């Protein structure tokens, strides 16, 4: 579906802009989460077929003709795991941020010059 | 100024990378040959109604093993960075309503989580989703009861045993020479039953336990680290 594809691109670019322009570490992590969601929407909309059902072949779907009735299962499977991995990596990033805050009591990346190159 | 210019160049560069996908996009009208094979194979070879589960657990089982490993490493990182400090600095009390309601709700949430991961091959859901639901139940417990302590030893035990059995099930397939992580090591059963689709419900339950215990570990570690919170309180 072209609409959701465009929505995914917009979210991805908003997230990227937030990651590049913000100074606050928490806001950078939020930007990552937004970009992550955008990528999920892009992948799912690439596998969407108009007017078809979810790929669960129970009594509601004609099983003999299932190939013509369901959407592509592969993008759904990829996104399913990507969401959980995204949650875990976001948690790890937040812990890094908390650890940095303990050192200098600041979330601004300007205060961490030793990370600059 | 130069920073802003670089940011704009970066965004435009990303846009140029993405533009071909958008321009060349046509709504597909048919499944790809691979997806067709997965949909047919899920019914005929695996007897699993949920095709997404078949792809995650069987056809791309090795990828799922890798992603569970990524989750494990992230949990390890969280536990390593936030060591469990015994910090008794909570003067906060939780209201009676929240405590009573949550102790009632937690059992329902746990049952829902277990239902979701055992029925992963029949209905929408599976190990990842069920694990997250279980972790959310523990989150409610931690938020409502400040003295609640989860034994990290038990969490680590559940997590490592389920990971080990997951790999062993895969290796049994190799020993029987039908392929790594092939669910046909158990009888396939009748299409649509709870105990069907071979080892798929077993593998997905193990993934559910592993994901649930890992995410609970992350939440419990973050919740027990109240040192920064106490600093905020003193400032007030």
């Amino acid at each position: 579906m072209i609409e959701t594809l465009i929505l995914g691109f917009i979210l991805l670019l908003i997230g990227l802009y937030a990651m590049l322009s913000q100074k606050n570490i928490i806001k950078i992590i939020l930007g990552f989460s937004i970009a992550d969601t955008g990528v999920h929407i892009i992948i799912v909309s690439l596998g969407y077929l108009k007017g078809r059902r979810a790929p669960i072949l129970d009594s509601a779907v004609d099983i003999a003709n299932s190939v013509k009735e369901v959407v592509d299962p592969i993008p759904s499977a990829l996104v399913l795991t990507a969401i959980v991995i995204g949650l875990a990596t976001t948690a790890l990033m937040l812990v890094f941020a908390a650890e940095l805050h303990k050192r200098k009591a600041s979330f601004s990346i300007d205060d961490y010059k030793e990370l600059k190159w | 100024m130069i920073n802003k210019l670089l940011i704009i160049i970066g965004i435009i560069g990303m846009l140029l990378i993405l533009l071909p996908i958008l321009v060349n996009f046509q709504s597909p009208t048919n499944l790809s040959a691979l997806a067709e094979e997965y949909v047919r194979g899920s019914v005929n070879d695996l007897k699993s109604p949920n095709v997404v589960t078949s792809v995650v657990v069987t056809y791309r089982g090795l990828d799922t093993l890798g992603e569970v490993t990524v989750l494990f490493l992230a949990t390890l990182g969280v536990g390593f960075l936030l060591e469990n400090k015994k910090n008794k600095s909570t003067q906060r009390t939780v209201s009676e309503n929240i405590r009573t309601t949550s102790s009632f709700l937690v059992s329902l949430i746990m049952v829902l989580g277990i239902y979701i991961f055992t029925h992963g091959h029949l209905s929408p859901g599976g190990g990842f989703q069920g694990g997250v639901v279980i972790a959310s139940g523990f989150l409610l417990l931690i938020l409502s009861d400040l003295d609640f302590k989860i034994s990290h030893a038990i969490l680590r035990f559940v997590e490592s045993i389920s990971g080990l059995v997951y790999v062993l099930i895969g290796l049994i397939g190799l020993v029987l020479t039908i392929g790594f992580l092939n669910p046909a090591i158990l009888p396939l059963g009748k299409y649509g039953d709870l105990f069907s689709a071979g080892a798929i419900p077993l593998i997905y339950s193990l993934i559910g336990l592993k994901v649930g215990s890992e995410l609970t570990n992350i939440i419990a570690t973050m919740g027990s680290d109240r040192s920064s919170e106490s600093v905020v309180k003193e400032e007030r």
Side-chain angles (χ1 to χ4, degrees), chain B residues 110-125:
Chain B
M110 295 293 168
V111 171
L112 178 71
I114 292 168
Y115 172 84
I116 287 175
F117 69 63
T118 49
H119 289 70
H121 57 307
L122 300 176
S123 58

Side-chain angles (χ1 to χ4, degrees), chain B residues 21-64:
Chain B
I21 304 178
L22 199 63
V23 172
N24 300 329
F25 178 78
Q26 309 137 322
S27 281
T29 48
N30 277 309
L31 292 183
S32 63
L34 183 68
E36 274 187 28
E37 196 53 45
Y38 285 166
V39 171
R40 286 208 194 90
S42 179
V43 178
N44 300 328
D45 305 340
L46 300 175
K47 299 200 188 298
S48 156
N50 190 340
V51 186
V52 176
T53 298
S54 310
V55 174
V56 169
V57 178
T58 304
Y59 296 116
R60 301 287 173 104
L62 196 62
D63 292 2
T64 307

Side-chain angles (χ1 to χ4, degrees), chain A residues 1-2 5-6 9 12-13 16-17 20-21 23 42 45-50 52 55-58 63 66-68 70-74 76-78 80-82 84-85 87-92 94-96 98-99 101-102, chain B residues 3 7 10-11 14-15 18 21-22 25 27-32 34-36 38-40 43 49-52 55-56 60 64 67 70-71 74 77-78 81-82 85 122-124 128-129 132 191 204 211 215 218 222 225 227:
Chain A
M1 230 181 358
I2 195 90
L5 196 67
I6 292 168
F9 283 146
L12 178 57
L13 291 177
L16 193 71
Y17 177 75
L20 291 174
S21 65
K23 298 276 186 197
I42 291 170
S45 55
L46 285 176
Y48 180 78
L49 287 96
K50 208 167 164 54
R52 295 206 184 186
I56 295 166
L57 309 172
D58 54 7
I63 290 171
S66 56
V67 173
K68 298 248 180 300
V70 295
V71 300
D72 198 340
I74 302 167
S76 315
L78 292 176
L80 160 67
T81 41
V84 179
I85 301 299
L87 175 71
T89 45
T90 310
L92 187 59
L94 285 171
V95 169
F96 273 124
E99 204 55 27
H101 190 266
K102 263 183 216 163
Chain B
N3 262 345
I7 290 168
I11 298 281
M14 193 72 195
L15 201 65
L18 295 174
I21 304 178
L22 199 63
F25 178 78
S27 281
T29 48
N30 277 309
L31 292 183
S32 63
L34 183 68
E36 274 187 28
Y38 285 166
V39 171
R40 286 208 194 90
V43 178
N50 190 340
V51 186
V52 176
V55 174
V56 169
R60 301 287 173 104
T64 307
E67 291 184 47
V70 172
L71 198 60
V78 171
L81 286 170
L82 287 184
K85 294 172 194 98
L122 300 176
S123 58
F128 288 96
Q129 298 91 319
V132 173
Y191 185 81
Y204 234 4
V211 171
L215 292 182
I218 290 179
M222 283 181 160
D225 187 80
S227 50

